[in-house]
Amino acid sequence: MNRLTLTAISAVLLAAGCGSPSGTDWKERLFPPPVATQLVRVESDRPDDRREALQAIAADSGARRLPSVVKVFCIVAKSDKDPMVRSAAVRGLAVMEGEGVVTTLGAVVTHDESPYVRMDSCRAIGQQKDTGAAAPLMEVLCGDRMADVRVAAAEALRNFKDKAALKEKV
């Protein structure tokens, strides 16, 4: 083999993560683990593992459609003790449809202790564009103690297309 070919192969292997310290990163990049494996990681003791698993599941368009996955995201968004994990679950719910998504986001936006999670929940509701979620956003807009959360609620309300239906719900 000539030197140019070896250099090109080395560059591809490095880009795939073969030069990483763990040595298994390239396998996960080329062959992502199945959703079941990621769901097991959601139960990990380490918050970073839970967050990364939620992000990987949310990126899988097939997994997002599964009702059981939607339920897991709803539970994690409401009950995980780490705000970064709750935030990842909320961002995942933004691209999901199903039973309980809008009600979960509404509960999180009004009751979560972390302003970052509440802001992400406002954005997620804005992506859902369900007029049924306007009431929690209005509650946040009028009464949240953090200005950034109120701004996120206003921006989410602006995303709703049917302004007449929005006024009717509020």
Side-chain angles (χ1 to χ4, degrees):
M1 293 184 140
N2 63 26
R3 204 174 281 196
L4 181 63
T5 306
L6 288 174
T7 304
I9 291 172
S10 298
V12 169
L13 290 174
L14 283 173
C18 290
S20 68
S22 67
T24 60
D25 289 344
W26 67 273
K27 289 179 186 175
E28 287 187 11
R29 288 183 188 172
L30 295 176
F31 307 105
V35 175
T37 303
Q38 297 293 358
L39 285 172
V40 170
R41 288 182 61 204
V42 170
E43 295 181 358
S44 171
D45 292 338
R46 298 179 52 211
D48 286 341
D49 284 347
R50 295 193 305 268
R51 181 183 45 79
E52 290 172 3
L54 290 169
Q55 289 170 340
I57 294 168
D60 184 348
S61 61
R64 302 194 285 246
R65 295 186 199 122
L66 299 172
S68 58
V69 169
V70 173
K71 287 180 185 177
V72 167
F73 272 72
C74 289
I75 291 168
V76 172
K78 288 181 188 177
S79 63
D80 198 274
K81 58 187 173 245
D82 188 82
M84 295 296 285
V85 175
R86 291 193 311 271
S87 191
V90 164
R91 286 191 305 271
L93 286 172
V95 294
M96 294 182 184
E97 296 176 0
E99 185 180 334
V101 170
V102 174
T103 55
T104 298
L105 291 172
V108 170
V109 79
T110 55
H111 294 89
D112 199 276
E113 62 197 33
S114 170
Y116 303 109
V117 177
R118 293 195 309 270
M119 284 190 303
D120 281 341
S121 186
C122 287
R123 292 183 192 111
I125 290 172
Q127 287 178 336
Q128 290 285 327
K129 300 177 185 167
D130 183 350
T131 55
L137 285 176
M138 288 301 293
E139 184 180 332
V140 168
L141 186 63
C142 296
D144 199 275
R145 62 190 176 277
M146 298 291 294
D148 291 339
V149 178
R150 293 192 304 268
V151 168
E155 289 173 352
L157 285 168
R158 189 175 54 190
N159 289 336
F160 289 94
K161 299 289 185 217
D162 190 2
K163 304 296 182 193
L166 187 62
K167 287 180 183 176
E168 196 174 290
K169 293 281 184 184
V170 178

